[in-house]
Amino acid sequence: MTALLRNGDYCPDGMGGFRQAWGGEEVLERVLFQLTARRGSFPLLPQVGSRIYLLGREKPAARGTVGAGYAAEALAETLWPTRCAVCDEPGELLCGPCRLGLPYIDWWRACPRCGAPFGRVQCSECNDVLMSVAGRDEPPFDACASAVAFDDAAARIVRTWKDAGERRLAGAMATLMAPMAPPSWLADHPCIVPVPATAAARRRRGFDHGEELAQALADRLGLAVAPVLARPRSRDQRALARRDRLANMEGRFIPLPGASAFPS
């Protein structure tokens, strides 16, 4: 049930209240409101409204295609409203309370080598004992940084993104990740190299999550993306123990024949 709107005002029912729409009329009212309201006009509901008002900025030849996309976006939001990936409340991909409640990692306490949350003094993840179990003296990279620790909320975000197909979460996650890149990493304008998904995972999901996250992060950092790694052949990591995960990573970072990153 929804109240009827005409010319920006609710329609009185003659009895001190407002006329209500039901069934098909309600769906039509919701669609019309979503199409005519400007997206961004409601700060607490950023997904409400459409971007059709932006058509004037497009070239005349492109307005039909772009307008159809804006209309489809508004229609989808009416029928399947955006919901928080953590608490499932409608409104945003990550609502304010859930975003604030994420287990953010304190850079001053984190391991400067592997990014573990509490490894600044003695790391529990990349110490000599665990490195020897993996057959290494040190990690096979210079440094790593993480935005949040992996708890139930973070797991729900990843599952909603990768398995439920909410591809817009790549942008939300990139927004959390971008501030974690130290200035020293960005000084020489490096490229971001996505680790591609396996062919089976891409077929199952319909998209390559690594490529989309890399592009979203590159957009926020002003960097280029260099897709120079070959598509791997490996098993799903989720069902594997630590030792098996390490073994499963073999072959995940093989460059494509003749591939090279963009010049700095």
Side-chain angles (χ1 to χ4, degrees), residues 35 144 152 164 212 225 230 232 253 261:
L35 287 171
C144 181
D152 184 62
E212 295 194 0
V225 175
F253 307 101

Side-chain angles (χ1 to χ4, degrees), residues 231-251:
R231 198 166 295 284
R233 295 181 179 179
S234 55
R235 295 180 291 166
D236 192 325
Q237 293 273 79
R238 289 173 293 186
L240 302 180
R242 183 188 185 97
R243 186 187 296 271
D244 294 329
R245 284 179 175 234
L246 292 173
N248 196 43
M249 293 299 290
E250 294 295 330

Side-chain angles (χ1 to χ4, degrees), residues 148-169:
V148 301
F150 192 73
D151 66 352
D152 184 62
R156 292 195 61 159
I157 293 171
V158 173
R159 288 196 300 268
T160 303
W161 171 49
K162 294 171 63 174
D163 298 329
E166 181 47 270
R167 297 167 69 172
R168 294 176 297 173
L169 277 169

